[in-house]
Amino acid sequence: MNDNQKWEIIQGDALKVLSGFAPNTFGAVITDPPYASGGRTQSEKNKSTARKYSSMGENAPPPFDGDAKDQRSWTRWAAEWLYEARKASKPGAPVCMFIDWRQLPAATDALQWAGWIWRGTAVWDKGNSRPQKGRFRQQAEYIVWGSNGDMPISRPVPCLPGVFKYGNPQNRIHLTEKPLQLMRDIVKITEPGGHILDPFAGSGTTVLAAVLEGYSATGIEVTDTYAKLARERICSELEEAA
């Protein structure tokens, strides 16, 4: 842990790392896993994420791992890591998982198969998307959320919005990086002083947001390039905020 035991980024595969945590370790699980929804065919899914999700060519952020699964294997995989994450969470701990419209049904299935109580779906309105004549804009992604068993209304947590409106980060260092302010809003579902787990840390946005909001956080990142970038980014931005 860094900064007086406030945060850490562990480089490794989430399924392997999660099984090593003791029960009752985490007060919330908040994460943005690989969606594995880009591409209509398996050959398209197998392309580098830099090619699937960016038109910047050589200037695109580095590719990330774990995005080539078909829907059945993705659902099985998600149920497994969600189960391990639940076992490491405290009773009543919330879980929040980002997903897109293609994988939304699979995500809600996986959440429940893993033993979480599914409590709803919040919306991230990105405000922009590629316009297609005669169709609705696909300008939203979703936050499937639930809890590890009973979740008393008396928890010392405010009522949070059901829709969050933020544009994509302009100078992102990860292909699917979420806005920092969005994540600062989302982590507030956690009880004060809680320890937040992000099994798919990416560029470290959730961990950074958690620390800025007064929580402690542990992130896991399988791609070594991003584990390094996340640590560097969090150190730099926390120094600036100090």
Side-chain angles (χ1 to χ4, degrees):
M1 299 284 274
N2 297 275
D3 293 332
N4 298 320
Q5 307 302 304
K6 281 290 187 180
W7 66 274
E8 65 179 337
I9 299 290
I10 301 170
Q11 199 275 312
D13 182 272
L15 272 175
K16 294 179 180 179
V17 176
L18 285 169
S19 62
F21 291 120
N24 301 315
T25 299
F26 300 104
V29 178
I30 300 174
T31 193
D32 180 23
Y35 295 175
S37 62
R40 291 169 295 178
T41 66
Q42 193 58 47
S43 62
E44 290 177 345
K45 286 179 176 292
N46 290 342
K47 291 180 180 178
S48 165
T49 53
R51 292 180 61 191
K52 285 194 291 186
Y53 302 129
S54 176
S55 58
M56 297 173 64
E58 295 180 356
N59 296 319
F64 58 88
D65 297 334
D67 198 69
K69 299 175 181 67
D70 64 21
Q71 190 171 59
R72 286 192 307 170
S73 59
W74 185 92
T75 308
R76 170 63 183 270
W77 167 80
E80 289 189 13
W81 70 256
L82 281 162
Y83 174 75
E84 295 293 346
R86 186 180 64 81
K87 288 203 304 181
S89 297
K90 296 179 178 181
V95 59
C96 299
M97 175 174 62
F98 278 83
I99 202 67
D100 71 355
W101 66 272
R102 297 175 186 86
Q103 296 284 50
L104 181 58
T108 58
D109 284 347
L111 190 84
Q112 295 171 89
W113 285 340
W116 298 90
I117 296 176
W118 178 27
R119 294 194 176 272
T121 305
V123 176
W124 170 36
D125 178 1
K126 299 181 285 186
N128 59 1
S129 65
R130 180 169 61 89
Q132 294 179 293
K133 189 176 183 299
R135 302 188 182 191
F136 292 106
R137 280 185 177 269
Q138 293 173 355
Q139 69 186 63
E141 293 185 22
Y142 306 94
I143 304 156
V144 175
W145 77 280
S147 67
N148 184 19
D150 187 35
M151 190 181 191
I153 295 294
S154 59
R155 292 190 319 134
V157 174
C159 178
L160 302 178
V163 178
F164 301 87
K165 189 175 179 64
Y166 294 105
N168 276 309
Q170 292 299 307
N171 298 310
R172 54 189 175 188
I173 61 175
H174 191 284
L175 288 159
T176 64
E177 184 177 325
K178 299 300 184 283
L180 178 59
Q181 189 56 56
L182 169 65
M183 299 315 300
R184 292 187 70 162
D185 290 349
I186 299 298
V187 298
K188 293 174 184 175
I189 193 70
T190 313
E191 291 192 27
H195 189 177
I196 295 173
L197 169 66
D198 181 358
F200 306 95
S203 60
T205 307
T206 301
V207 173
L208 175 60
V211 176
L212 289 172
E213 292 297 328
Y215 304 97
S216 59
T218 294
I220 306 168
E221 175 52 44
V222 67
T223 306
D224 54 359
T225 300
Y226 278 117
K228 181 175 182 292
L229 284 172
R231 293 187 191 105
E232 292 172 349
R233 175 197 179 189
I234 294 167
C235 285
S236 174
E237 296 202 27
L238 289 178
E239 285 180 5
E240 290 181 9

